[in-house]
Amino acid sequence: MSDKPIYVTEPFLPPLEEFIPYLEEIWESKRLTNNGPMHEKLEDALCEYLGVPEIALFNNGTIALLTALKALHITGEVITTPFTFIATSHALTWNGLTPIFVDIDPNTFNIDPSKIEAAITPRTTAILPVHCFGNPCDVEAIQEIADKYNLKVIYDAAHAFGVEDKGGSILRHGNLSAVSFHATKVFNTFEGGAIICHDKKTKQHIKSLKNFGIVDEVTVVAAGINGKMGEVNAAFGLLQLKYIEKAIARRKTADQFYRDKLKNINGISTIDFSSQNKGNSSYFPIIVEDSYSLTRDELFKKLQEHKIMARRYFYPLVTDQPMYRQSNSRKSGVSNFPVSTMIAKKIMCLPIHDQLNIYNQEKILNLIKGELE
Ligand code: T4K
Protein backbone atom coordinates (compact mmCIF):
# COMPACT_ATOMS: atom_id res chain seq x y z
CA MET A 1 0.00 0.00 0.00
CA SER A 2 1.19 3.50 -0.81
CA ASP A 3 2.38 5.73 2.01
CA LYS A 4 0.96 8.81 0.34
CA PRO A 5 -1.09 11.15 2.56
CA ILE A 6 -4.85 10.73 2.44
CA TYR A 7 -6.24 14.19 1.88
CA VAL A 8 -9.62 15.47 3.01
CA THR A 9 -10.45 15.61 -0.65
CA GLU A 10 -8.74 14.90 -3.93
CA PRO A 11 -9.80 16.22 -7.28
CA PHE A 12 -11.71 13.92 -9.52
CA LEU A 13 -9.59 13.49 -12.67
CA PRO A 14 -10.97 11.71 -15.75
CA PRO A 15 -8.47 9.74 -17.92
CA LEU A 16 -5.81 12.17 -19.24
CA GLU A 17 -5.89 10.82 -22.79
CA GLU A 18 -9.56 11.77 -23.03
CA PHE A 19 -8.65 15.41 -22.42
CA ILE A 20 -6.28 15.62 -25.42
CA PRO A 21 -8.99 15.95 -28.11
CA TYR A 22 -10.50 18.88 -26.21
CA LEU A 23 -7.10 20.58 -26.11
CA GLU A 24 -6.60 19.91 -29.83
CA GLU A 25 -9.92 21.58 -30.54
CA ILE A 26 -8.91 24.64 -28.52
CA TRP A 27 -5.52 24.83 -30.31
CA GLU A 28 -7.26 24.49 -33.65
CA SER A 29 -9.81 27.24 -32.91
CA LYS A 30 -7.26 29.57 -31.26
CA ARG A 31 -10.11 30.64 -29.05
CA LEU A 32 -8.78 30.62 -25.50
CA THR A 33 -11.31 32.64 -23.49
CA ASN A 34 -14.11 35.28 -23.57
CA ASN A 35 -17.18 33.07 -23.99
CA GLY A 36 -15.58 30.63 -26.44
CA PRO A 37 -17.25 27.46 -27.75
CA MET A 38 -16.23 25.26 -24.78
CA HIS A 39 -17.60 27.87 -22.37
CA GLU A 40 -20.90 28.01 -24.23
CA LYS A 41 -21.17 24.21 -24.42
CA LEU A 42 -20.48 23.86 -20.71
CA GLU A 43 -23.14 26.41 -19.79
CA ASP A 44 -25.70 24.48 -21.84
CA ALA A 45 -24.59 21.10 -20.52
CA LEU A 46 -24.74 22.28 -16.90
CA CYS A 47 -28.21 23.79 -17.30
CA GLU A 48 -29.34 20.42 -18.56
CA TYR A 49 -27.52 18.32 -15.96
CA LEU A 50 -28.56 20.49 -13.01
CA GLY A 51 -32.05 21.22 -14.32
CA VAL A 52 -31.69 25.00 -13.93
CA PRO A 53 -32.82 27.68 -16.38
CA GLU A 54 -29.72 29.89 -16.66
CA ILE A 55 -26.11 29.59 -15.60
CA ALA A 56 -23.18 31.99 -15.98
CA LEU A 57 -19.73 30.45 -15.62
CA PHE A 58 -16.99 32.16 -13.60
CA ASN A 59 -13.26 31.82 -13.02
CA ASN A 60 -13.91 30.88 -9.37
CA GLY A 61 -16.68 30.71 -6.79
CA THR A 62 -15.54 33.81 -4.90
CA ILE A 63 -15.78 36.08 -7.94
CA ALA A 64 -19.16 34.49 -8.69
CA LEU A 65 -20.33 35.44 -5.19
CA LEU A 66 -18.93 38.98 -5.49
CA THR A 67 -20.67 39.43 -8.83
CA ALA A 68 -23.97 37.99 -7.58
CA LEU A 69 -24.07 40.65 -4.84
CA LYS A 70 -23.16 43.36 -7.36
CA ALA A 71 -25.74 42.16 -9.89
CA LEU A 72 -28.56 42.64 -7.36
CA HIS A 73 -27.24 46.06 -6.23
CA ILE A 74 -27.08 44.90 -2.63
CA THR A 75 -26.26 47.67 -0.12
CA GLY A 76 -25.91 48.13 3.64
CA GLU A 77 -26.14 45.04 5.85
CA VAL A 78 -26.36 41.42 4.80
CA ILE A 79 -27.27 38.57 7.14
CA THR A 80 -25.00 35.56 6.92
CA THR A 81 -23.45 32.70 8.89
CA PRO A 82 -20.19 32.63 10.85
CA PHE A 83 -19.83 28.88 10.18
CA THR A 84 -18.47 28.95 6.65
CA PHE A 85 -15.34 29.37 4.57
CA ILE A 86 -13.92 32.87 4.79
CA ALA A 87 -14.85 33.60 1.13
CA THR A 88 -18.52 34.05 2.11
CA SER A 89 -17.96 37.06 4.35
CA HIS A 90 -15.07 38.40 2.24
CA ALA A 91 -17.45 38.62 -0.73
CA LEU A 92 -19.57 41.00 1.36
CA THR A 93 -16.61 43.03 2.56
CA TRP A 94 -15.22 43.41 -0.98
CA ASN A 95 -18.59 44.83 -2.00
CA GLY A 96 -18.47 47.39 0.83
CA LEU A 97 -21.27 45.55 2.65
CA THR A 98 -21.55 44.85 6.38
CA PRO A 99 -21.94 41.20 7.30
CA ILE A 100 -24.33 40.61 10.19
CA PHE A 101 -23.74 37.16 11.55
CA VAL A 102 -26.50 34.88 12.82
CA ASP A 103 -25.98 31.58 14.61
CA ILE A 104 -26.53 28.16 13.03
CA ASP A 105 -28.88 25.26 13.60
CA PRO A 106 -27.07 22.48 15.54
CA ASN A 107 -28.59 19.78 13.34
CA THR A 108 -27.84 21.18 9.89
CA PHE A 109 -24.92 23.60 10.54
CA ASN A 110 -26.83 26.08 8.35
CA ILE A 111 -28.07 29.53 9.39
CA ASP A 112 -30.91 29.21 11.90
CA PRO A 113 -33.94 30.92 10.33
CA SER A 114 -35.56 31.43 13.73
CA LYS A 115 -32.71 33.82 14.62
CA ILE A 116 -32.72 35.88 11.42
CA GLU A 117 -35.55 38.32 12.16
CA ALA A 118 -33.87 39.63 15.31
CA ALA A 119 -30.83 40.63 13.22
CA ILE A 120 -32.80 42.64 10.63
CA THR A 121 -32.38 46.43 10.78
CA PRO A 122 -33.49 49.22 8.42
CA ARG A 123 -30.12 48.80 6.65
CA THR A 124 -30.62 45.09 5.89
CA THR A 125 -31.07 44.37 2.19
CA ALA A 126 -30.23 40.69 1.78
CA ILE A 127 -29.58 37.28 3.31
CA LEU A 128 -26.53 35.25 2.28
CA PRO A 129 -27.01 31.71 3.62
CA VAL A 130 -24.66 28.80 2.90
CA HIS A 131 -25.76 25.24 2.08
CA CYS A 132 -23.02 24.04 4.39
CA PHE A 133 -21.38 20.74 3.32
CA GLY A 134 -24.08 20.46 0.65
CA ASN A 135 -26.84 20.19 3.25
CA PRO A 136 -29.78 22.30 2.03
CA CYS A 137 -30.78 25.33 4.11
CA ASP A 138 -34.35 25.71 5.28
CA VAL A 139 -35.11 27.51 2.02
CA GLU A 140 -38.82 27.95 2.71
CA ALA A 141 -38.38 29.63 6.09
CA ILE A 142 -35.64 31.87 4.67
CA GLN A 143 -37.81 32.89 1.71
CA GLU A 144 -40.72 33.67 4.01
CA ILE A 145 -38.58 36.10 6.00
CA ALA A 146 -37.14 37.61 2.82
CA ASP A 147 -40.63 38.20 1.44
CA LYS A 148 -41.84 39.72 4.69
CA TYR A 149 -38.95 42.23 4.85
CA ASN A 150 -38.41 42.65 1.11
CA LEU A 151 -34.90 41.21 1.20
CA LYS A 152 -32.94 39.51 -1.58
CA VAL A 153 -31.58 36.00 -1.00
CA ILE A 154 -28.26 34.95 -2.49
CA TYR A 155 -27.22 31.41 -1.67
CA ASP A 156 -23.58 30.53 -1.22
CA ALA A 157 -23.99 27.11 -2.82
CA ALA A 158 -20.24 26.44 -3.12
CA HIS A 159 -20.73 22.91 -1.74
CA ALA A 160 -24.09 22.14 -3.33
CA PHE A 161 -23.39 20.95 -6.88
CA GLY A 162 -25.98 18.34 -7.84
CA VAL A 163 -27.91 18.59 -4.57
CA GLU A 164 -31.68 18.31 -4.97
CA ASP A 165 -34.71 18.65 -2.76
CA LYS A 166 -38.17 17.29 -3.54
CA GLY A 167 -38.78 19.94 -6.22
CA GLY A 168 -35.44 19.64 -8.07
CA SER A 169 -32.09 21.42 -7.89
CA ILE A 170 -31.41 23.24 -4.65
CA LEU A 171 -29.79 25.92 -6.81
CA ARG A 172 -33.19 27.17 -7.99
CA HIS A 173 -33.95 28.82 -4.63
CA GLY A 174 -33.44 32.47 -3.76
CA ASN A 175 -32.69 35.23 -6.26
CA LEU A 176 -29.28 33.81 -7.16
CA SER A 177 -27.03 30.92 -6.15
CA ALA A 178 -23.25 30.84 -6.50
CA VAL A 179 -21.40 27.53 -6.81
CA SER A 180 -17.71 26.67 -6.73
CA PHE A 181 -15.92 24.39 -9.19
CA HIS A 182 -12.62 24.54 -7.27
CA ALA A 183 -10.31 21.50 -7.43
CA THR A 184 -11.53 20.38 -4.00
CA LYS A 185 -15.19 20.29 -5.03
CA VAL A 186 -17.41 17.43 -6.22
CA PHE A 187 -17.37 18.87 -9.75
CA ASN A 188 -14.28 20.86 -10.64
CA THR A 189 -12.82 22.89 -13.48
CA PHE A 190 -9.44 23.26 -11.66
CA GLU A 191 -10.62 26.74 -10.59
CA GLY A 192 -14.13 27.82 -11.47
CA GLY A 193 -17.60 28.69 -10.37
CA ALA A 194 -20.99 29.82 -11.58
CA ILE A 195 -24.05 31.89 -10.82
CA ILE A 196 -27.43 30.27 -11.30
CA CYS A 197 -30.29 32.64 -12.09
CA HIS A 198 -33.90 32.47 -13.19
CA ASP A 199 -34.12 34.42 -16.42
CA LYS A 200 -32.23 35.51 -19.53
CA LYS A 201 -32.24 39.21 -18.66
CA THR A 202 -30.45 38.61 -15.35
CA LYS A 203 -28.05 36.23 -17.10
CA GLN A 204 -27.21 38.93 -19.68
CA HIS A 205 -26.55 41.43 -16.89
CA ILE A 206 -24.29 38.95 -15.06
CA LYS A 207 -22.56 38.07 -18.33
CA SER A 208 -21.71 41.72 -18.88
CA LEU A 209 -20.59 42.22 -15.24
CA LYS A 210 -18.13 39.33 -15.49
CA ASN A 211 -16.69 40.93 -18.65
CA PHE A 212 -15.84 44.39 -17.20
CA GLY A 213 -19.44 45.60 -17.69
CA ILE A 214 -18.98 45.56 -21.47
CA VAL A 215 -22.12 45.04 -23.56
CA ASP A 216 -20.70 45.77 -27.01
CA GLU A 217 -17.54 47.07 -28.64
CA VAL A 218 -18.15 50.66 -27.59
CA THR A 219 -20.45 50.39 -24.55
CA VAL A 220 -19.64 49.72 -20.89
CA VAL A 221 -22.72 49.83 -18.66
CA ALA A 222 -21.31 49.02 -15.22
CA ALA A 223 -18.08 48.77 -13.24
CA GLY A 224 -17.69 45.07 -13.94
CA ILE A 225 -14.86 42.68 -13.22
CA ASN A 226 -12.93 40.00 -15.08
CA GLY A 227 -14.72 36.86 -13.91
CA LYS A 228 -14.62 34.85 -17.10
CA MET A 229 -13.89 31.14 -17.26
CA GLY A 230 -11.26 30.18 -19.85
CA GLU A 231 -11.64 27.49 -22.51
CA VAL A 232 -9.29 24.92 -20.95
CA ASN A 233 -11.24 25.04 -17.69
CA ALA A 234 -14.57 24.79 -19.51
CA ALA A 235 -13.31 21.86 -21.60
CA PHE A 236 -12.23 20.05 -18.45
CA GLY A 237 -15.71 20.64 -17.06
CA LEU A 238 -17.30 19.11 -20.16
CA LEU A 239 -15.12 16.02 -19.87
CA GLN A 240 -15.73 15.70 -16.16
CA LEU A 241 -19.47 15.97 -16.56
CA LYS A 242 -19.36 12.64 -18.40
CA TYR A 243 -18.11 10.96 -15.23
CA ILE A 244 -19.86 12.99 -12.56
CA GLU A 245 -22.56 10.45 -11.69
CA LYS A 246 -19.92 7.78 -11.18
CA ALA A 247 -17.79 10.08 -9.03
CA ILE A 248 -20.73 11.07 -6.83
CA ALA A 249 -21.83 7.43 -6.53
CA ARG A 250 -18.35 6.50 -5.24
CA ARG A 251 -18.50 9.30 -2.69
CA LYS A 252 -21.89 8.06 -1.55
CA THR A 253 -20.56 4.53 -1.07
CA ALA A 254 -17.73 5.89 1.05
CA ASP A 255 -20.20 8.07 2.98
CA GLN A 256 -22.44 5.09 3.79
CA PHE A 257 -19.46 2.97 4.82
CA TYR A 258 -18.30 5.60 7.33
CA ARG A 259 -21.85 6.08 8.59
CA ASP A 260 -22.39 2.34 9.21
CA LYS A 261 -19.08 1.86 11.00
CA LEU A 262 -19.15 5.05 13.07
CA LYS A 263 -22.61 4.33 14.45
CA ASN A 264 -21.34 2.39 17.43
CA ILE A 265 -18.38 4.52 18.43
CA ASN A 266 -19.05 6.28 21.70
CA GLY A 267 -18.54 10.05 21.46
CA ILE A 268 -18.53 10.34 17.67
CA SER A 269 -21.60 11.56 15.88
CA THR A 270 -22.38 12.36 12.27
CA ILE A 271 -24.93 14.72 10.78
CA ASP A 272 -27.99 13.34 9.13
CA PHE A 273 -28.57 14.71 5.69
CA SER A 274 -32.31 14.38 5.07
CA SER A 275 -33.20 11.28 3.08
CA GLN A 276 -35.79 13.41 1.24
CA ASN A 277 -32.94 15.21 -0.53
CA LYS A 278 -30.46 14.01 -3.12
CA GLY A 279 -27.11 14.86 -1.57
CA ASN A 280 -23.63 14.92 -3.08
CA SER A 281 -21.47 13.60 -0.19
CA SER A 282 -19.12 16.51 -0.74
CA TYR A 283 -17.84 16.43 2.84
CA PHE A 284 -17.99 13.96 5.71
CA PRO A 285 -18.20 15.99 8.94
CA ILE A 286 -18.06 14.26 12.31
CA ILE A 287 -18.59 15.73 15.77
CA VAL A 288 -16.13 14.70 18.45
CA GLU A 289 -18.23 14.87 21.59
CA ASP A 290 -16.91 15.41 25.13
CA SER A 291 -17.62 11.72 25.86
CA TYR A 292 -15.03 10.59 23.25
CA SER A 293 -11.70 9.42 24.64
CA LEU A 294 -9.72 12.24 22.94
CA THR A 295 -10.41 15.89 22.25
CA ARG A 296 -11.14 16.85 18.65
CA ASP A 297 -7.66 18.33 18.34
CA GLU A 298 -5.99 15.25 19.82
CA LEU A 299 -7.84 13.04 17.32
CA PHE A 300 -6.95 15.45 14.50
CA LYS A 301 -3.26 15.24 15.47
CA LYS A 302 -3.36 11.46 15.78
CA LEU A 303 -4.82 11.15 12.28
CA GLN A 304 -2.17 13.52 10.92
CA GLU A 305 0.58 11.39 12.44
CA HIS A 306 -0.76 8.60 10.26
CA LYS A 307 -0.90 10.93 7.23
CA ILE A 308 -4.67 11.18 7.35
CA MET A 309 -5.15 14.82 6.48
CA ALA A 310 -8.61 15.49 7.94
CA ARG A 311 -9.63 19.15 8.15
CA ARG A 312 -11.39 21.18 10.84
CA TYR A 313 -13.84 22.90 8.50
CA PHE A 314 -14.98 25.48 9.71
CA TYR A 315 -12.66 26.28 12.58
CA PRO A 316 -11.88 28.98 13.55
CA LEU A 317 -15.20 30.69 12.95
CA VAL A 318 -15.21 33.58 10.50
CA THR A 319 -16.13 35.86 13.43
CA ASP A 320 -12.92 34.84 15.23
CA GLN A 321 -10.76 36.20 12.40
CA PRO A 322 -9.31 39.65 13.14
CA MET A 323 -11.17 41.49 10.37
CA TYR A 324 -14.58 40.26 11.64
CA ARG A 325 -14.03 40.44 15.41
CA GLN A 326 -15.48 43.94 15.51
CA SER A 327 -18.66 42.83 13.76
CA ASN A 328 -21.78 41.89 15.70
CA SER A 329 -19.85 38.84 16.88
CA ARG A 330 -19.35 39.69 20.52
CA LYS A 331 -21.29 41.31 23.28
CA SER A 332 -19.20 42.02 26.40
CA GLY A 333 -16.54 39.59 25.30
CA VAL A 334 -18.93 36.67 24.90
CA SER A 335 -19.60 35.12 21.52
CA ASN A 336 -23.09 35.70 20.17
CA PHE A 337 -22.97 32.36 18.42
CA PRO A 338 -23.02 29.61 21.03
CA VAL A 339 -23.99 26.88 18.54
CA SER A 340 -21.41 27.84 15.90
CA THR A 341 -18.75 28.17 18.61
CA MET A 342 -19.55 24.74 20.00
CA ILE A 343 -19.65 23.06 16.56
CA ALA A 344 -16.41 24.75 15.45
CA LYS A 345 -14.68 23.26 18.53
CA LYS A 346 -15.92 19.73 17.89
CA ILE A 347 -16.06 19.35 14.13
CA MET A 348 -13.72 17.50 11.84
CA CYS A 349 -14.19 16.55 8.20
CA LEU A 350 -12.91 13.08 7.35
CA PRO A 351 -11.38 12.38 3.92
CA ILE A 352 -13.98 11.71 1.28
CA HIS A 353 -13.48 11.55 -2.47
CA ASP A 354 -13.95 9.17 -5.34
CA GLN A 355 -10.49 7.56 -4.96
CA LEU A 356 -10.83 6.74 -1.28
CA ASN A 357 -10.74 2.95 -0.94
CA ILE A 358 -12.02 0.66 1.77
CA TYR A 359 -8.50 -0.06 3.00
CA ASN A 360 -7.97 3.64 3.71
CA GLN A 361 -11.39 4.01 5.30
CA GLU A 362 -10.75 0.98 7.54
CA LYS A 363 -7.46 2.55 8.64
CA ILE A 364 -9.20 5.85 9.47
CA LEU A 365 -11.95 4.01 11.36
CA ASN A 366 -9.44 1.86 13.29
CA LEU A 367 -7.62 5.01 14.36
CA ILE A 368 -10.88 6.58 15.52
CA LYS A 369 -11.91 3.37 17.32
CA GLY A 370 -8.55 3.33 19.07
CA GLU A 371 -7.70 -0.06 17.55
CA LEU A 372 -4.68 1.50 15.84
CA GLU A 373 -2.39 3.89 17.70
N1 T4K B 1 -18.02 29.62 -0.19
C1 T4K B 1 -17.77 28.50 0.49
C2 T4K B 1 -18.75 28.03 1.51
C3 T4K B 1 -16.61 27.76 0.22
O1 T4K B 1 -16.35 26.63 0.92
C4 T4K B 1 -15.71 28.23 -0.77
C5 T4K B 1 -14.49 27.51 -1.03
C6 T4K B 1 -16.04 29.40 -1.48
C7 T4K B 1 -17.22 30.07 -1.15
C8 T4K B 1 -15.17 29.97 -2.54
O2 T4K B 1 -15.10 29.18 -3.70
P1 T4K B 1 -13.73 29.25 -4.60
O3 T4K B 1 -13.44 30.70 -4.83
O4 T4K B 1 -12.63 28.54 -3.87
O5 T4K B 1 -14.15 28.57 -5.88
C9 T4K B 1 -10.37 24.81 0.16
C10 T4K B 1 -10.66 25.43 -1.18
O6 T4K B 1 -9.57 26.21 -1.67
C11 T4K B 1 -11.89 26.26 -1.22
O7 T4K B 1 -12.33 26.27 -2.58
C12 T4K B 1 -13.00 25.66 -0.38
N2 T4K B 1 -14.15 26.52 -0.30
C13 T4K B 1 -12.51 25.37 1.03
C14 T4K B 1 -13.60 24.78 1.90
O8 T4K B 1 -11.47 24.43 0.92
P2 T4K B 1 -8.28 24.93 1.71
O9 T4K B 1 -7.42 26.06 2.14
O10 T4K B 1 -8.77 23.97 2.70
O11 T4K B 1 -7.61 24.13 0.47
P3 T4K B 1 -6.30 23.22 0.44
O12 T4K B 1 -5.43 23.76 -0.63
O13 T4K B 1 -5.75 23.05 1.78
O14 T4K B 1 -6.92 21.86 -0.11
C15 T4K B 1 -7.52 20.88 0.74
C16 T4K B 1 -6.93 19.54 0.38
O15 T4K B 1 -7.33 19.17 -0.92
C17 T4K B 1 -5.42 19.52 0.37
O16 T4K B 1 -4.93 19.15 1.63
C18 T4K B 1 -5.08 18.49 -0.68
C19 T4K B 1 -6.29 18.45 -1.58
N3 T4K B 1 -6.02 19.09 -2.87
C20 T4K B 1 -6.15 20.45 -2.99
C21 T4K B 1 -5.92 21.05 -4.20
C22 T4K B 1 -6.04 22.56 -4.34
C23 T4K B 1 -5.64 18.31 -3.92
O17 T4K B 1 -5.51 17.08 -3.80
N4 T4K B 1 -5.42 18.90 -5.14
C24 T4K B 1 -5.54 20.26 -5.32
O18 T4K B 1 -5.36 20.76 -6.44
O19 T4K B 1 -9.50 25.60 0.95
Side-chain angles (χ1 to χ4, degrees):
M1 273 302 149
S2 124
D3 202 24
K4 171 178 163 290
I6 302 170
Y7 294 113
V8 69
T9 188
E10 284 186 19
F12 169 60
L13 290 170
L16 180 58
E17 62 278 12
E18 290 188 28
F19 196 37
I20 308 297
Y22 290 84
L23 294 176
E24 284 171 348
E25 211 178 308
I26 294 170
W27 258 241
E28 186 68 29
S29 73
K30 294 199 167 67
R31 186 68 191 231
L32 308 187
T33 186
N34 290 10
N35 308 320
M38 295 293 177
H39 176 283
E40 300 302 279
K41 275 191 239 171
L42 183 60
E43 285 193 345
D44 290 346
L46 285 173
C47 277
E48 196 181 325
Y49 176 75
L50 296 168
V52 294
E54 300 290 342
I55 192 163
L57 294 175
F58 275 82
N59 49 8
N60 63 62
T62 305
I63 300 288
L65 214 45
L66 278 176
T67 309
L69 293 159
K70 188 64 98 186
L72 297 178
H73 309 289
I74 303 300
T75 57
E77 294 176 359
V78 177
I79 292 174
T80 192
T81 165
F83 190 74
T84 182
F85 189 58
I86 200 76
T88 313
S89 42
H90 280 358
L92 295 170
T93 306
W94 271 64
N95 267 301
L97 302 166
T98 308
I100 300 293
F101 297 98
V102 163
D103 208 359
I104 57 168
D105 178 317
N107 299 311
T108 63
F109 306 161
N110 290 326
I111 195 164
D112 184 342
S114 71
K115 295 184 179 145
I116 292 178
E117 285 197 72
I120 295 175
T121 74
R123 297 191 68 227
T124 312
T125 58
I127 310 173
L128 176 59
V130 179
H131 299 298
C132 193
F133 304 135
N135 202 14
C137 290
D138 187 343
V139 289
E140 278 158 26
I142 291 170
Q143 196 57 53
E144 217 169 278
I145 297 166
D147 291 342
K148 184 169 165 191
Y149 292 91
N150 195 22
L151 307 176
K152 298 277 195 300
V153 182
I154 298 109
Y155 280 102
D156 180 339
H159 305 166
F161 184 89
V163 173
E164 294 181 5
D165 61 15
K166 278 181 284 174
S169 173
I170 199 71
L171 306 174
R172 76 188 188 286
H173 294 287
N175 296 85
L176 298 173
S177 289
V179 283
S180 165
F181 302 152
H182 182 259
T184 55
K185 299 297 187 294
V186 167
F187 171 80
N188 88 82
T189 55
F190 288 26
E191 289 273 5
I195 296 178
I196 286 80
C197 64
H198 298 284
D199 59 87
K200 284 207 165 18
K201 194 169 165 224
T202 312
K203 157 85 186 270
Q204 274 311 113
H205 179 45
I206 290 167
K207 194 172 169 184
S208 132
L209 280 180
K210 75 173 179 184
N211 188 27
F212 314 100
I214 294 173
V215 287
D216 64 39
E217 222 178 294
V218 290
T219 321
V220 178
V221 292
I225 201 166
N226 183 355
K228 291 169 274 109
M229 178 183 281
E231 287 293 273
V232 172
N233 302 79
F236 186 74
L238 280 169
L239 173 58
Q240 196 172 156
L241 209 46
K242 293 186 180 170
Y243 289 90
I244 193 68
E245 286 293 318
K246 235 188 231 174
I248 293 178
R250 288 206 206 131
R251 281 175 175 270
K252 285 190 174 166
T253 307
D255 181 307
Q256 196 55 53
F257 189 76
Y258 273 140
R259 238 167 247 285
D260 293 344
K261 304 277 166 162
L262 287 168
K263 235 185 268 168
N264 302 321
I265 302 180
N266 184 33
I268 300 290
S269 58
T270 57
I271 53 168
D272 282 331
F273 292 94
S274 164
S275 56
Q276 295 191 337
N277 298 323
K278 182 182 162 209
N280 63 5
S281 298
S282 49
Y283 293 86
F284 196 87
I286 61 167
I287 296 290
V288 183
E289 308 283 2
D290 294 340
S291 54
Y292 184 68
S293 51
L294 302 174
T295 64
R296 186 273 310 271
D297 289 343
E298 285 166 351
L299 177 60
F300 176 71
K301 193 160 167 269
K302 177 176 167 183
L303 292 177
Q304 276 195 330
E305 281 161 6
H306 288 265
K307 296 193 175 169
I308 312 293
M309 312 314 261
R311 292 297 285 269
R312 291 167 292 184
Y313 296 133
F314 288 102
Y315 161 85
L317 289 180
V318 165
T319 39
D320 285 334
Q321 298 297 354
M323 69 294 286
Y324 296 109
R325 276 190 202 142
Q326 298 310 317
S327 61
N328 67 323
S329 58
R330 282 192 176 75
K331 269 188 198 140
S332 352
V334 180
S335 164
N336 286 343
F337 318 112
V339 179
S340 303
T341 305
M342 182 259 295
I343 299 291
K345 266 189 204 150
K346 296 180 172 185
I347 197 145
M348 186 161 64
C349 287
L350 296 182
I352 188 158
H353 47 84
D354 67 292
Q355 295 131 75
L356 189 68
N357 58 36
I358 288 211
Y359 169 83
N360 289 333
Q361 282 194 281
E362 290 280 16
K363 179 173 170 183
I364 294 166
L365 289 159
N366 287 338
L367 285 162
I368 296 174
K369 277 189 253 174
E371 288 173 6
L372 187 63
E373 288 304 328

